[in-house]
Short mmCIF file of all heavy atoms in Angstrom, two decimals:
data_model
loop_
_atom_site.label_atom_id
_atom_site.label_comp_id
_atom_site.label_asym_id
_atom_site.label_seq_id
_atom_site.Cartn_x
_atom_site.Cartn_y
_atom_site.Cartn_z
N LYS A 184 -7.33 30.77 26.51
CA LYS A 184 -5.88 30.54 26.28
C LYS A 184 -5.65 29.19 25.59
O LYS A 184 -4.86 29.02 24.66
CB LYS A 184 -5.08 30.70 27.54
CG LYS A 184 -3.56 30.68 27.35
CD LYS A 184 -2.86 30.98 28.61
CE LYS A 184 -1.37 31.20 28.37
NZ LYS A 184 -0.74 30.07 27.62
N ALA A 185 -6.34 28.14 26.14
CA ALA A 185 -6.15 26.77 25.58
C ALA A 185 -6.59 26.76 24.11
O ALA A 185 -5.95 26.14 23.28
CB ALA A 185 -7.00 25.80 26.42
N LYS A 186 -7.70 27.40 23.79
CA LYS A 186 -8.22 27.40 22.40
C LYS A 186 -7.26 28.19 21.47
O LYS A 186 -7.01 27.77 20.40
CB LYS A 186 -9.60 28.01 22.38
CG LYS A 186 -10.66 27.22 23.17
CD LYS A 186 -10.86 25.84 22.68
CE LYS A 186 -12.00 25.11 23.41
NZ LYS A 186 -12.25 23.77 22.92
N ILE A 187 -6.77 29.32 21.95
CA ILE A 187 -5.83 30.12 21.15
C ILE A 187 -4.58 29.31 20.86
O ILE A 187 -4.06 29.28 19.75
CB ILE A 187 -5.53 31.44 21.83
CG1 ILE A 187 -6.77 32.35 21.77
CG2 ILE A 187 -4.38 32.17 21.09
CD1 ILE A 187 -6.59 33.64 22.59
N ASP A 188 -4.05 28.69 21.90
CA ASP A 188 -2.81 27.87 21.75
C ASP A 188 -3.04 26.79 20.75
O ASP A 188 -2.14 26.50 19.89
CB ASP A 188 -2.37 27.32 23.07
CG ASP A 188 -1.78 28.32 24.03
OD1 ASP A 188 -1.41 29.42 23.51
OD2 ASP A 188 -1.68 28.06 25.25
N LEU A 189 -4.20 26.08 20.84
CA LEU A 189 -4.46 25.05 19.88
C LEU A 189 -4.57 25.54 18.48
O LEU A 189 -4.09 24.92 17.52
CB LEU A 189 -5.76 24.34 20.22
CG LEU A 189 -5.75 23.21 21.34
CD1 LEU A 189 -7.12 22.65 21.55
CD2 LEU A 189 -4.82 22.09 20.86
N PHE A 190 -5.26 26.68 18.30
CA PHE A 190 -5.42 27.28 17.02
C PHE A 190 -4.09 27.61 16.37
O PHE A 190 -3.80 27.26 15.22
CB PHE A 190 -6.28 28.55 17.12
CG PHE A 190 -7.15 28.81 15.96
CD1 PHE A 190 -8.39 29.45 16.11
CD2 PHE A 190 -6.78 28.43 14.68
CE1 PHE A 190 -9.23 29.68 14.99
CE2 PHE A 190 -7.57 28.68 13.57
CZ PHE A 190 -8.81 29.34 13.72
N LEU A 191 -3.23 28.28 17.15
CA LEU A 191 -1.89 28.67 16.59
C LEU A 191 -1.07 27.44 16.28
O LEU A 191 -0.39 27.37 15.25
CB LEU A 191 -1.20 29.50 17.68
CG LEU A 191 -1.76 30.94 17.94
CD1 LEU A 191 -1.00 31.55 19.09
CD2 LEU A 191 -1.73 31.77 16.71
N LYS A 192 -1.10 26.41 17.11
CA LYS A 192 -0.35 25.20 16.85
C LYS A 192 -0.81 24.49 15.61
O LYS A 192 -0.04 24.03 14.79
CB LYS A 192 -0.52 24.26 18.09
CG LYS A 192 0.34 22.99 18.04
CD LYS A 192 0.20 22.23 19.35
CE LYS A 192 1.18 21.05 19.39
NZ LYS A 192 0.76 19.93 18.53
N SER A 193 -2.16 24.42 15.43
CA SER A 193 -2.73 23.78 14.25
C SER A 193 -2.36 24.56 12.98
O SER A 193 -2.06 23.97 11.98
CB SER A 193 -4.25 23.64 14.41
OG SER A 193 -4.78 23.01 13.28
N LEU A 194 -2.46 25.90 13.05
CA LEU A 194 -2.12 26.70 11.85
C LEU A 194 -0.68 26.47 11.44
O LEU A 194 -0.38 26.43 10.22
CB LEU A 194 -2.38 28.17 12.12
CG LEU A 194 -3.86 28.60 12.24
CD1 LEU A 194 -4.00 30.02 12.72
CD2 LEU A 194 -4.63 28.42 10.91
N LYS A 195 0.17 26.27 12.41
CA LYS A 195 1.60 26.07 12.11
C LYS A 195 1.90 24.64 11.58
O LYS A 195 2.49 24.45 10.56
CB LYS A 195 2.44 26.34 13.34
CG LYS A 195 2.50 27.82 13.76
CD LYS A 195 3.23 28.01 15.05
CE LYS A 195 3.21 29.46 15.51
NZ LYS A 195 3.89 29.63 16.86
N GLU A 196 1.36 23.66 12.35
CA GLU A 196 1.71 22.27 12.02
C GLU A 196 0.83 21.65 10.98
O GLU A 196 1.31 20.86 10.11
CB GLU A 196 1.65 21.42 13.35
CG GLU A 196 2.67 21.85 14.37
CD GLU A 196 2.64 20.98 15.63
OE1 GLU A 196 1.75 20.04 15.65
OE2 GLU A 196 3.38 21.27 16.51
N ASP A 197 -0.45 21.94 11.02
CA ASP A 197 -1.40 21.31 10.09
C ASP A 197 -1.52 22.08 8.79
O ASP A 197 -1.73 21.46 7.72
CB ASP A 197 -2.78 21.22 10.71
CG ASP A 197 -2.81 20.24 11.92
OD1 ASP A 197 -1.96 19.33 11.92
OD2 ASP A 197 -3.64 20.49 12.83
N PHE A 198 -1.41 23.41 8.84
CA PHE A 198 -1.58 24.25 7.66
C PHE A 198 -0.34 24.89 7.15
O PHE A 198 -0.35 25.68 6.21
CB PHE A 198 -2.67 25.28 7.92
CG PHE A 198 -4.04 24.65 8.15
CD1 PHE A 198 -4.44 24.35 9.45
CD2 PHE A 198 -4.89 24.36 7.10
CE1 PHE A 198 -5.68 23.76 9.69
CE2 PHE A 198 -6.13 23.74 7.31
CZ PHE A 198 -6.53 23.47 8.62
N ALA A 199 0.83 24.59 7.84
CA ALA A 199 2.15 25.06 7.38
C ALA A 199 2.25 26.56 7.29
O ALA A 199 2.79 27.12 6.32
CB ALA A 199 2.52 24.39 6.06
N ILE A 200 1.65 27.27 8.23
CA ILE A 200 1.75 28.76 8.30
C ILE A 200 2.72 29.10 9.40
O ILE A 200 2.43 28.90 10.58
CB ILE A 200 0.36 29.38 8.52
CG1 ILE A 200 -0.61 28.94 7.47
CG2 ILE A 200 0.45 30.90 8.61
CD1 ILE A 200 -2.06 29.35 7.71
N ASN A 201 3.87 29.64 9.01
CA ASN A 201 4.93 29.84 10.04
C ASN A 201 4.58 30.92 11.06
O ASN A 201 4.89 30.75 12.26
CB ASN A 201 6.24 30.24 9.32
CG ASN A 201 6.85 29.09 8.49
OD1 ASN A 201 6.66 27.92 8.86
ND2 ASN A 201 7.46 29.40 7.39
N LYS A 202 3.93 31.99 10.66
CA LYS A 202 3.65 33.11 11.55
C LYS A 202 2.17 33.45 11.37
O LYS A 202 1.80 34.41 10.71
CB LYS A 202 4.53 34.29 11.21
CG LYS A 202 4.50 35.44 12.26
CD LYS A 202 5.22 35.05 13.56
CE LYS A 202 5.30 36.20 14.52
NZ LYS A 202 5.94 35.87 15.81
N PRO A 203 1.25 32.65 11.97
CA PRO A 203 -0.15 32.82 11.71
C PRO A 203 -0.68 34.14 12.31
O PRO A 203 -0.26 34.61 13.37
CB PRO A 203 -0.80 31.64 12.41
CG PRO A 203 0.20 31.17 13.40
CD PRO A 203 1.57 31.49 12.87
N LYS A 204 -1.63 34.70 11.64
CA LYS A 204 -2.34 35.94 12.05
C LYS A 204 -3.70 35.55 12.44
O LYS A 204 -4.52 35.06 11.62
CB LYS A 204 -2.33 36.93 10.88
CG LYS A 204 -2.83 38.33 11.25
CD LYS A 204 -2.70 39.24 10.02
CE LYS A 204 -3.20 40.61 10.34
NZ LYS A 204 -3.13 41.49 9.13
N LEU A 205 -4.09 35.79 13.70
CA LEU A 205 -5.34 35.34 14.26
C LEU A 205 -6.24 36.46 14.75
O LEU A 205 -5.75 37.32 15.44
CB LEU A 205 -5.08 34.36 15.44
CG LEU A 205 -6.23 33.63 16.06
CD1 LEU A 205 -6.90 32.65 15.06
CD2 LEU A 205 -5.76 32.85 17.29
N ALA A 206 -7.47 36.44 14.34
CA ALA A 206 -8.48 37.43 14.80
C ALA A 206 -9.34 36.85 15.90
O ALA A 206 -9.74 35.68 15.81
CB ALA A 206 -9.37 37.89 13.64
N ILE A 207 -9.65 37.59 16.91
CA ILE A 207 -10.52 37.15 18.05
C ILE A 207 -11.81 37.98 18.00
O ILE A 207 -11.73 39.20 18.00
CB ILE A 207 -9.76 37.34 19.38
CG1 ILE A 207 -8.36 36.73 19.36
CG2 ILE A 207 -10.66 36.72 20.48
CD1 ILE A 207 -8.30 35.24 19.15
N LEU A 208 -12.93 37.29 17.99
CA LEU A 208 -14.21 38.04 18.03
C LEU A 208 -14.61 38.33 19.49
O LEU A 208 -14.24 37.59 20.41
CB LEU A 208 -15.27 37.18 17.38
CG LEU A 208 -15.06 36.82 15.92
CD1 LEU A 208 -16.24 36.00 15.37
CD2 LEU A 208 -14.79 38.04 15.02
N GLY A 209 -15.38 39.38 19.65
CA GLY A 209 -15.98 39.64 20.94
C GLY A 209 -17.20 38.75 21.21
O GLY A 209 -17.75 38.19 20.26
N LEU A 210 -17.61 38.72 22.47
CA LEU A 210 -18.76 37.91 22.79
C LEU A 210 -20.03 38.74 22.64
O LEU A 210 -21.08 38.22 22.12
CB LEU A 210 -18.64 37.46 24.26
CG LEU A 210 -19.92 36.74 24.84
CD1 LEU A 210 -20.20 35.41 24.15
CD2 LEU A 210 -19.72 36.57 26.35
N ASN A 211 -20.03 39.97 23.04
CA ASN A 211 -21.23 40.77 23.10
C ASN A 211 -21.42 41.69 21.85
O ASN A 211 -20.44 41.85 21.09
CB ASN A 211 -21.14 41.67 24.35
CG ASN A 211 -21.07 40.86 25.63
OD1 ASN A 211 -22.01 40.16 25.98
ND2 ASN A 211 -19.92 40.90 26.32
N PRO A 212 -22.59 42.21 21.66
CA PRO A 212 -22.80 43.17 20.56
C PRO A 212 -21.79 44.33 20.66
O PRO A 212 -21.49 44.80 21.75
CB PRO A 212 -24.23 43.70 20.80
CG PRO A 212 -24.92 42.56 21.53
CD PRO A 212 -23.82 41.97 22.43
N HIS A 213 -21.23 44.71 19.51
CA HIS A 213 -20.26 45.77 19.46
C HIS A 213 -19.05 45.51 20.32
O HIS A 213 -18.39 46.43 20.83
CB HIS A 213 -20.86 47.16 19.85
CG HIS A 213 -22.12 47.53 19.07
ND1 HIS A 213 -22.04 47.85 17.71
CD2 HIS A 213 -23.39 47.53 19.42
CE1 HIS A 213 -23.24 48.09 17.29
NE2 HIS A 213 -24.12 47.89 18.28
N ALA A 214 -18.74 44.20 20.52
CA ALA A 214 -17.61 43.80 21.38
C ALA A 214 -17.67 44.44 22.77
O ALA A 214 -16.70 44.82 23.35
CB ALA A 214 -16.28 44.11 20.69
N GLY A 215 -18.92 44.57 23.27
CA GLY A 215 -19.11 45.04 24.62
C GLY A 215 -19.33 46.58 24.74
O GLY A 215 -19.73 47.05 25.77
N GLU A 216 -18.98 47.29 23.68
CA GLU A 216 -19.11 48.77 23.71
C GLU A 216 -18.49 49.40 24.97
O GLU A 216 -19.12 50.09 25.76
CB GLU A 216 -20.56 49.20 23.62
CG GLU A 216 -20.86 50.63 23.23
CD GLU A 216 -20.58 50.88 21.76
OE1 GLU A 216 -21.37 50.50 20.90
OE2 GLU A 216 -19.54 51.46 21.45
N SER A 217 -17.20 49.06 25.17
CA SER A 217 -16.42 49.56 26.32
C SER A 217 -17.09 49.25 27.69
O SER A 217 -17.05 50.05 28.59
CB SER A 217 -16.22 51.09 26.17
OG SER A 217 -15.54 51.44 25.02
N GLY A 218 -17.70 48.06 27.75
CA GLY A 218 -18.32 47.64 28.98
C GLY A 218 -19.81 47.92 29.13
O GLY A 218 -20.47 47.41 30.00
N LEU A 219 -20.35 48.77 28.23
CA LEU A 219 -21.77 49.09 28.34
C LEU A 219 -22.66 47.93 28.03
O LEU A 219 -23.75 47.80 28.60
CB LEU A 219 -22.03 50.23 27.32
CG LEU A 219 -23.52 50.77 27.24
CD1 LEU A 219 -23.84 51.43 28.59
CD2 LEU A 219 -23.67 51.73 26.08
N LEU A 220 -22.21 47.02 27.12
CA LEU A 220 -23.04 45.89 26.71
C LEU A 220 -22.48 44.58 27.17
O LEU A 220 -22.89 43.49 26.66
CB LEU A 220 -23.17 45.87 25.15
CG LEU A 220 -23.75 47.14 24.54
CD1 LEU A 220 -23.77 47.12 23.04
CD2 LEU A 220 -25.18 47.43 25.09
N GLY A 221 -21.57 44.57 28.09
CA GLY A 221 -20.99 43.36 28.61
C GLY A 221 -19.52 43.58 29.01
O GLY A 221 -18.82 44.39 28.45
N LYS A 222 -19.09 42.79 29.98
CA LYS A 222 -17.76 42.97 30.56
C LYS A 222 -16.74 41.94 30.06
O LYS A 222 -15.52 42.09 30.38
CB LYS A 222 -17.88 42.90 32.09
CG LYS A 222 -18.86 43.89 32.75
CD LYS A 222 -18.38 45.24 32.66
CE LYS A 222 -19.29 46.21 33.46
NZ LYS A 222 -18.89 47.62 33.31
N GLU A 223 -17.18 40.92 29.36
CA GLU A 223 -16.23 39.85 29.05
C GLU A 223 -15.05 40.31 28.22
O GLU A 223 -13.93 39.81 28.39
CB GLU A 223 -16.98 38.70 28.28
CG GLU A 223 -17.87 37.87 29.16
CD GLU A 223 -19.25 38.47 29.37
OE1 GLU A 223 -19.51 39.61 28.83
OE2 GLU A 223 -20.08 37.88 30.03
N GLU A 224 -15.31 41.25 27.29
CA GLU A 224 -14.20 41.75 26.50
C GLU A 224 -13.17 42.43 27.32
O GLU A 224 -11.95 42.19 27.15
CB GLU A 224 -14.76 42.72 25.43
CG GLU A 224 -15.53 42.07 24.27
CD GLU A 224 -16.93 41.67 24.66
OE1 GLU A 224 -17.41 42.12 25.74
OE2 GLU A 224 -17.56 40.97 23.88
N GLN A 225 -13.59 43.31 28.24
CA GLN A 225 -12.62 44.07 29.07
C GLN A 225 -11.93 43.19 30.06
O GLN A 225 -10.74 43.38 30.37
CB GLN A 225 -13.37 45.19 29.79
CG GLN A 225 -13.79 46.36 28.85
CD GLN A 225 -14.45 47.46 29.68
OE1 GLN A 225 -15.28 47.20 30.58
NE2 GLN A 225 -14.15 48.70 29.34
N GLU A 226 -12.65 42.24 30.65
CA GLU A 226 -12.15 41.46 31.75
C GLU A 226 -11.43 40.19 31.38
O GLU A 226 -10.52 39.72 32.04
CB GLU A 226 -13.27 41.09 32.72
CG GLU A 226 -13.94 42.30 33.37
CD GLU A 226 -15.10 41.92 34.26
OE1 GLU A 226 -15.46 40.72 34.32
OE2 GLU A 226 -15.68 42.80 34.94
N ILE A 227 -11.76 39.61 30.19
CA ILE A 227 -11.16 38.35 29.77
C ILE A 227 -10.42 38.44 28.46
O ILE A 227 -9.25 38.10 28.35
CB ILE A 227 -12.24 37.25 29.68
CG1 ILE A 227 -12.97 37.07 31.06
CG2 ILE A 227 -11.62 35.93 29.25
CD1 ILE A 227 -14.17 36.14 30.96
N ILE A 228 -11.14 38.86 27.42
CA ILE A 228 -10.61 38.74 26.02
C ILE A 228 -9.51 39.70 25.74
O ILE A 228 -8.44 39.30 25.30
CB ILE A 228 -11.81 38.88 25.06
CG1 ILE A 228 -12.89 37.84 25.31
CG2 ILE A 228 -11.24 38.70 23.61
CD1 ILE A 228 -14.17 38.05 24.48
N GLN A 229 -9.71 40.98 26.03
CA GLN A 229 -8.72 41.96 25.68
C GLN A 229 -7.40 41.78 26.46
O GLN A 229 -6.30 41.81 25.85
CB GLN A 229 -9.25 43.38 25.98
CG GLN A 229 -8.32 44.53 25.56
CD GLN A 229 -8.12 44.59 24.05
OE1 GLN A 229 -9.10 44.62 23.31
NE2 GLN A 229 -6.85 44.61 23.61
N PRO A 230 -7.40 41.52 27.77
CA PRO A 230 -6.11 41.29 28.50
C PRO A 230 -5.34 40.10 27.92
O PRO A 230 -4.12 40.15 27.87
CB PRO A 230 -6.58 41.04 29.92
CG PRO A 230 -7.91 41.71 30.06
CD PRO A 230 -8.57 41.57 28.71
N LEU A 231 -6.05 39.07 27.50
CA LEU A 231 -5.39 37.92 26.95
C LEU A 231 -4.78 38.22 25.59
O LEU A 231 -3.64 37.83 25.29
CB LEU A 231 -6.40 36.75 26.81
CG LEU A 231 -5.80 35.37 26.69
CD1 LEU A 231 -4.90 35.05 27.92
CD2 LEU A 231 -6.92 34.29 26.66
N ILE A 232 -5.48 39.00 24.75
CA ILE A 232 -4.89 39.42 23.46
C ILE A 232 -3.64 40.21 23.71
O ILE A 232 -2.61 39.99 23.00
CB ILE A 232 -5.95 40.24 22.70
CG1 ILE A 232 -7.09 39.37 22.25
CG2 ILE A 232 -5.29 40.91 21.50
CD1 ILE A 232 -8.23 40.10 21.58
N GLU A 233 -3.65 41.10 24.67
CA GLU A 233 -2.51 41.96 24.96
C GLU A 233 -1.29 41.09 25.45
O GLU A 233 -0.16 41.36 25.11
CB GLU A 233 -2.87 43.02 26.01
CG GLU A 233 -3.83 44.08 25.43
CD GLU A 233 -4.33 44.97 26.49
OE1 GLU A 233 -3.90 44.86 27.69
OE2 GLU A 233 -5.08 45.94 26.17
N GLU A 234 -1.64 40.06 26.19
CA GLU A 234 -0.56 39.14 26.68
C GLU A 234 0.11 38.46 25.51
O GLU A 234 1.33 38.34 25.45
CB GLU A 234 -1.19 38.12 27.62
CG GLU A 234 -0.17 37.10 28.16
CD GLU A 234 -0.85 36.04 29.05
OE1 GLU A 234 -1.89 36.32 29.67
OE2 GLU A 234 -0.29 34.91 29.13
N TYR A 235 -0.68 37.98 24.54
CA TYR A 235 -0.10 37.29 23.35
C TYR A 235 0.67 38.31 22.48
O TYR A 235 1.74 37.95 22.00
CB TYR A 235 -1.17 36.63 22.50
CG TYR A 235 -1.62 35.30 23.05
CD1 TYR A 235 -2.71 35.13 23.92
CD2 TYR A 235 -0.90 34.14 22.69
CE1 TYR A 235 -3.07 33.89 24.36
CE2 TYR A 235 -1.28 32.86 23.16
CZ TYR A 235 -2.37 32.74 23.97
OH TYR A 235 -2.78 31.53 24.48
#
Side-chain angles (χ1 to χ4, degrees):
K184 189 175 189 305
K186 298 297 184 179
I187 291 173
D188 287 344
L189 276 180
F190 212 148
L191 293 174
K192 186 174 187 288
S193 181
L194 290 172
K195 292 175 183 177
E196 295 181 1
D197 295 329
F198 295 92
I200 301 170
N201 291 328
K202 192 70 173 178
K204 188 178 179 183
L205 186 64
I207 311 295
L208 300 181
L210 171 67
N211 299 295
H213 306 290
E216 197 74 75
S217 300
L219 181 66
L220 303 177
K222 304 290 187 183
E223 288 84 358
E224 287 79 9
Q225 288 182 320
E226 296 177 356
I227 301 172
I228 303 173
Q229 185 66 51
L231 201 56
I232 291 173
E233 292 173 0
E234 180 182 332
Y235 278 96

